Amino acid sequence: MKKSFGVVAVSAVLVFSLSGCSLSSGGEGEGAAASSDSAASSAAVSASASVSAEASLDIDLSAMDFDYTDRDKDASYDAASATIVALADGASGVSGADSGAGATVSSDGNTVTITAAGTYVVSGTLAQGQLAVDAGDDDKVQLVLDGASVHNENGPAVYVKNADKVFVTLADGSANTLSDGASYVLDDGSDEPYATLFSKADLTLNGSGSLEVTSAYRHAVCSKDDLVVTGGTYTINAVEDGLRGRDCVKICDGAFSITAGEDAVKSNNDEDGARGFVCIDGGTFDITAGDDAVHGETVLRVTGGVVDVASCTEGLEAEQVYVNGGEVRIVASDDGVNASARDTVTGGTDNVPGTTEGSCLLQINDGSVEVDSTGDGLDSNGNLEINGGTVVLHVPDNPDDTVIDCDGAASINGGTVTAVAADGTQTQVTADNLAQFTQMGGMGDRGMGGADGDPLAGEGGEAGGRGGMGDRGMGGAPSGRM
């Protein structure tokens, strides 16, 4: 958590892409244009950072591809023309018209490698082995898991080494499992691979079956490019991250139970302002995370679905966080929702109290958000806007935190915001009393509006001026406002 002491003011409304799960106009093409509804002012979305030789650090919503292709959402396949892969310890086999050209089996019978574009239906069990994809740069490969179980003690159970894009389809009614060991044999001169299902190409998960992924080494599912999920039921247990896509993670549908030692859902590209984003447009999530529940380096957007976080350090975190729909419930040991700049923007240093960093923005436009946190409920190291939706913030017991912490301009322009005290007392937070519930300065006792520390009394609590050192005064003796 980065502490901040902000100024309460009215800021401009920024709304983009209120509807999710849209198909791209590019049909089955993979070079879909960026979403046309990402209409944001350059002043609000551009970080004050230098431009690198390869990509700009400035966040560019208009360049982000929030769409799903037709093929991302199409889990159909023709079993009659597909290559059939039968997994068996020491005796895996490949059959079908094109089997000789598209897949090979290792001499020990425990590794099957896909080498060409096409559809491959995989079933059976490997107690020690691997399903690999090493196809051409332009090849699209569909792996249909239909009752497949793969364990690899020293590497990924599924390893996509090369392809244009791989679709992992969960066959209707099928149950599939992937697992690994606690130690990997790494590629020469590399820290890779590092996930039970590891892909160096764009990766899409779809279908209506189920997939259980257990990672004893690091991550459960990881793509070094885009990770897209449009359907399926997932049970994920990971030592580190659950679902991880370097350039982006986009989820349109599915049911997810994720237990992660670090982040449950994450995109980690912090060098390109058009990548490193997470978009949740649908699905149901039950999350327990050791660090962030959902983390985007640049942008985190929720437009639909139900995100239920039972335990985490911070719930939603990115440089810019947008809630445009859906239901979000968070129990956090630190901040519930946090807009915090990337290290590549800040140089890895915490922001100076009372100053903004990067292009941080936390914006709620619709949907519902409920936060029960030990740290701040909503925390932005830049601006914060509530323009619609329903927000319920439980008052933290920690005297150094409050329901809203904002370094820049904070505004309530619509929606319903409720602060809930420990005794259950509820108070509506509006534009008129927002200052009472927003951390504005002071490093002493919280005094959220009362000489006796009554968090909702609205009187008392010595006013700690802007960046001051007195009692915090969330509605302090003079007024507690700027």
Side-chain angles (χ1 to χ4, degrees):
M1 174 182 60
K2 299 178 180 179
K3 297 309 300 169
S4 56
F5 305 94
V7 179
V8 177
V10 176
S11 59
V13 175
L14 172 64
V15 180
F16 78 102
S17 190
L18 294 181
S19 62
C21 253
S22 59
L23 290 173
S24 70
S25 58
E28 293 188 3
E30 306 307 324
S35 176
S36 61
D37 54 11
S38 300
S41 66
S42 59
V45 300
S46 294
S48 55
S50 60
V51 177
S52 70
E54 296 182 355
S56 171
L57 286 175
D58 295 353
I59 292 178
D60 185 355
L61 294 175
S62 66
M64 292 181 178
D65 179 8
F66 295 112
D67 292 332
Y68 303 83
T69 68
D70 290 335
R71 191 164 180 183
D72 284 334
K73 301 184 71 174
D74 183 6
S76 65
Y77 60 95
D78 183 2
S81 62
T83 299
I84 306 302
V85 178
L87 304 177
D89 292 331
S92 297
V94 178
S95 61
D98 298 325
S99 59
T104 61
V105 180
S106 62
S107 59
D108 64 6
N110 292 324
T111 300
V112 177
T113 302
I114 308 301
T115 58
T119 298
Y120 302 81
V121 180
V122 184
S123 61
T125 300
L126 282 177
Q128 173 55 41
Q130 185 177 82
L131 178 62
V133 176
D134 196 359
D137 291 344
D138 298 325
D139 287 344
K140 292 179 175 60
V141 175
Q142 182 181 25
L143 297 178
V144 180
L145 302 186
D146 189 7
S149 177
V150 181
H151 176 82
N152 188 353
E153 188 64 22
N154 51 26
V158 176
Y159 188 0
V160 178
K161 299 179 180 181
N162 195 70
D164 175 44
K165 187 169 185 176
V166 172
F167 303 84
V168 175
T169 298
L170 308 179
D172 186 27
S174 70
N176 308 278
T177 63
L178 304 175
S179 59
D180 63 7
S183 179
Y184 276 23
V185 175
L186 302 178
D187 295 344
D188 290 342
S190 172
D191 65 348
E192 300 172 357
Y194 42 75
T196 313
L197 197 174
F198 184 73
S199 178
K200 294 183 178 181
D202 290 334
L203 178 66
T204 292
L205 308 181
N206 61 20
S208 56
S210 68
L211 176 62
E212 180 177 351
V213 184
T214 302
S215 168
Y217 179 61
R218 292 187 61 189
H219 312 311
V221 179
C222 178
S223 168
K224 290 194 66 182
D225 290 322
D226 296 354
L227 174 60
V228 177
V229 187
T230 66
T233 299
Y234 302 88
T235 302
I236 294 173
N237 291 275
V239 171
E240 293 186 16
D241 298 341
L243 298 174
R244 180 183 175 107
R246 173 169 170 75
D247 288 343
C248 72
V249 177
K250 299 188 291 188
I251 300 174
C252 182
D253 201 359
F256 305 84
S257 175
I258 304 176
T259 301
E262 295 187 4
D263 300 333
V265 181
K266 181 174 186 175
S267 182
N268 64 310
N269 189 334
D270 61 359
E271 299 173 344
D272 187 338
R275 298 178 179 180
F277 65 88
V278 174
C279 187
I280 295 178
D281 297 312
T284 59
F285 300 80
D286 292 315
I287 292 175
T288 298
D291 197 356
D292 297 342
V294 185
H295 179 100
E297 286 293 337
T298 54
V299 167
L300 194 168
R301 187 188 77 164
V302 180
T303 71
V306 178
V307 181
D308 198 341
V309 182
S311 175
C312 67
T313 300
E314 295 193 334
L316 309 182
E317 182 174 42
E319 188 161 331
Q320 296 180 5
V321 180
Y322 301 88
V323 179
N324 297 333
E327 302 175 27
V328 179
R329 296 183 290 269
I330 297 169
V331 177
S333 62
D334 202 330
D335 300 334
V337 182
N338 187 21
S340 178
R342 296 156 285 165
D343 286 348
T344 48
V345 172
T346 66
T349 60
D350 288 354
N351 62 314
V352 177
T355 64
T356 62
E357 63 178 16
S359 62
C360 291
L361 173 65
L362 195 169
Q363 185 182 89
I364 300 174
N365 299 306
D366 204 349
S368 65
V369 177
E370 181 174 3
V371 175
D372 188 348
S373 61
T374 302
D376 303 311
L378 305 179
D379 185 352
S380 176
N381 292 343
N383 296 336
L384 183 149
E385 303 172 6
I386 299 174
N387 302 312
T390 302
V391 180
V392 177
L393 304 172
H394 295 264
V395 177
D397 291 333
N398 181 357
D400 292 327
D401 295 287
T402 185
V403 291
I404 297 175
D405 180 356
C406 180
D407 262 340
S411 63
I412 296 178
N413 307 302
T416 301
V417 183
T418 304
V420 182
D423 64 1
T425 302
Q426 298 185 11
T427 299
Q428 297 302 117
V429 183
T430 66
D432 292 334
N433 67 1
L434 176 59
Q436 292 179 236
F437 297 91
T438 302
Q439 183 170 307
M440 298 163 55
M443 294 290 289
D445 295 339
R446 188 162 80 186
M448 286 188 59
D452 297 327
D454 180 357
L456 300 174
E459 300 293 341
E462 180 185 347
R466 188 182 307 180
M469 296 294 291
D471 291 349
R472 195 155 93 192
M474 298 262 329
S479 68
R481 304 183 183 184
M482 302 304 296

